[in-house]
Amino acid sequence: MFIYVNGEIVKKEEAVISPFDHGFLYGMGLFETFRVYHGHPFLLDNHITRLNEGLKVLNIEKRFTQDEVCSALMVLLDANGLTNAYIRFNVSAGLGEVGLQVEPYREPNVLIFAKPLPDAGEMAEKKAILLQLKRNTPEGLTRLKSHHYMNNLLAKREIGSSTDVEGIFLTEEGYIAEGIVSNIFWKKGNTVYTPSLATGILNGITRQFTMKAVKTMGMHLEEGLFSMEDVAAAEEIFVTNSIQEIVPISEFEGHTMPGKSGAIVQKLHQLYRESCKTLWSI
C-alpha cells in the first residue's frame, strides 16, 4: 500500500511525520473520508469546501482546489492500482513548539490514504442501539471532522466490533444526535426527519445529499430536536455516511423495522447509484 505524503508517494511503512506536529500533540488536524467510484471522487467539491472551512477555523493557512486534490488522487490511485477506493484525506497543522500556538500554521502536513473497495452493491442492513455514552459537545461553535475522536472511539468500544450494529448517541439533554460514524434519518407519513445541527452533530456530506434528495422526491423534510420516542414511532429508519452510503435499519432498540425493504431507502439508494459515478457537488 502506498500513501501520499506532502506531494510524494511512499510505501506505508516509510510514511512518517514529526512528533512536533501539532496534529499529534494537540489534535490540530482535520480529515475527509469519501469514496471513489470507477475513478470518480463522489461529491468531492463538497468535501473540499467542508475541509477548507475547517482549516480556517483551525488557523491553518492552506486551502485546496478540485484540480489539486484530483491530481493527488490520480497519482495515489495509480500507484495502488485502484479505481474503486476508500479515501481518507488528512491535513494536520504541521510543526510547532511544545505549547499552545496562536499564530497561523503555514506548513501543514497532507496525507492521503487509499484502501480498496469492491464495486458498490446492494444495501447492507444494520441494527441500531442507543448508546449509554452521551454525544460530547463540539470543541468550537460547530463540529469539525477533526482528530478529536475519543467520544467516537469510546462509543465503538461500548457496542463492540460487530459491523452490523450502529450506536446512536443522545445529547446530554436526551435528544437524538447521530450515529458513531453516521447521521440518522427516519420517515413517518410523508415526512423525513433528521436531528438539527443545533444538537452538535457533524453536517455529513451524505446527510446533505440525502436532505436534497428527499425534497426532490416530493417529501417533506424536518430538522429539529427529537426524542427516542419520536424515532421509535418511525415507519423507516436509516443512517448515512460517505463510505457506507444509505444504510437501512432493520431493528431499533428491539423494534423491528422494514430495513432494506423500506420504500424510502430503496428510492434513495437508486438516486445514489445514479449519481455516484458523475456528481461533483450537491
Side-chain angles (χ1 to χ4, degrees):
M1 177 181 176
F2 292 93
I3 297 176
Y4 176 101
V5 182
N6 295 327
E8 297 184 0
I9 302 296
V10 301
K11 294 179 180 179
K12 66 176 184 178
E13 298 83 5
E14 300 171 359
V16 296
I17 61 170
S18 168
F20 288 95
D21 187 315
H22 277 207
F24 167 71
L25 287 177
Y26 301 109
M28 295 296 288
L30 301 169
F31 68 99
E32 291 288 328
T33 52
F34 53 90
R35 286 183 71 149
V36 171
Y37 296 86
H38 293 275
H40 176 72
F42 184 46
L43 299 181
L44 178 63
D45 289 353
N46 297 98
H47 285 282
I48 292 173
T49 296
R50 184 171 66 178
L51 177 63
N52 285 338
E53 290 172 351
L55 292 172
K56 183 177 180 180
V57 173
L58 295 190
N59 210 14
I60 297 175
E61 291 189 345
K62 173 65 179 176
R63 304 293 181 267
F64 293 91
T65 65
Q66 184 193 103
D67 287 345
E68 181 181 9
V69 174
C70 282
S71 295
L73 288 176
M74 284 196 310
V75 174
L76 180 62
L77 292 170
D78 183 64
N80 286 290
L82 301 175
T83 56
N84 295 293
Y86 169 122
I87 301 294
R88 174 171 167 137
F89 194 106
N90 198 94
V91 184
S92 59
L95 297 181
E97 296 298 326
V98 175
L100 302 183
Q101 179 171 319
V102 297
E103 296 81 12
Y105 295 100
R106 296 189 170 87
E107 295 185 19
N109 284 312
V110 180
L111 287 77
I112 312 176
F113 307 81
K115 297 195 298 184
L117 285 177
D119 277 340
E122 297 299 315
M123 293 181 289
E125 296 177 331
K126 288 192 176 186
K127 298 177 182 179
I129 60 174
L130 291 179
L131 294 160
Q132 295 299 311
L133 181 69
K134 297 299 187 287
R135 190 53 164 138
N136 64 342
T137 55
E139 289 81 16
L141 296 178
T142 59
R143 188 173 300 278
L144 304 178
K145 199 168 179 67
S146 76
H147 289 186
H148 295 270
Y149 233 61
M150 178 62 77
N151 195 223
N152 305 66
L153 286 169
L154 292 177
K156 182 59 179 175
R157 290 178 189 172
E158 182 179 323
I159 68 170
S161 59
S162 177
T163 58
D164 65 349
V165 177
E166 175 65 315
I168 304 298
F169 283 110
L170 297 176
T171 67
E172 285 290 346
E173 297 79 16
Y175 297 119
I176 292 286
E178 60 188 336
I180 298 173
V181 292
S182 65
N183 292 115
I184 184 170
F185 293 80
W186 60 96
K187 171 190 174 291
K188 186 175 181 182
N190 196 45
T191 302
V192 173
Y193 301 87
T194 195
S196 164
L197 297 181
T199 58
I201 63 174
L202 180 72
N203 190 12
I205 303 302
T206 309
R207 174 183 187 269
Q208 297 172 45
F209 173 90
T210 301
M211 292 168 68
K212 182 176 180 180
V214 165
K215 295 176 183 177
T216 300
M217 291 160 51
M219 300 188 70
H220 299 298
L221 178 78
E222 184 174 333
E223 297 178 80
L225 304 176
F226 303 106
S227 68
M228 191 277 270
E229 289 74 22
D230 292 320
V231 185
E235 297 163 5
E236 293 183 49
I237 306 173
F238 58 97
V239 296
T240 64
N241 77 23
S242 294
I243 303 302
Q244 299 172 26
E245 308 175 336
I246 312 291
V247 182
I249 297 301
S250 60
E251 183 181 306
F252 176 73
E253 285 291 291
H255 299 276
T256 300
M257 304 303 299
K260 61 184 179 183
S261 66
I264 183 71
V265 293
Q266 290 186 11
K267 291 178 182 177
L268 288 169
H269 181 70
Q270 181 180 352
L271 286 171
Y272 205 95
R273 280 289 158 271
E274 292 170 356
S275 306
C276 66
K277 297 178 185 177
T278 58
L279 201 62
W280 290 95
S281 63
I282 299 165

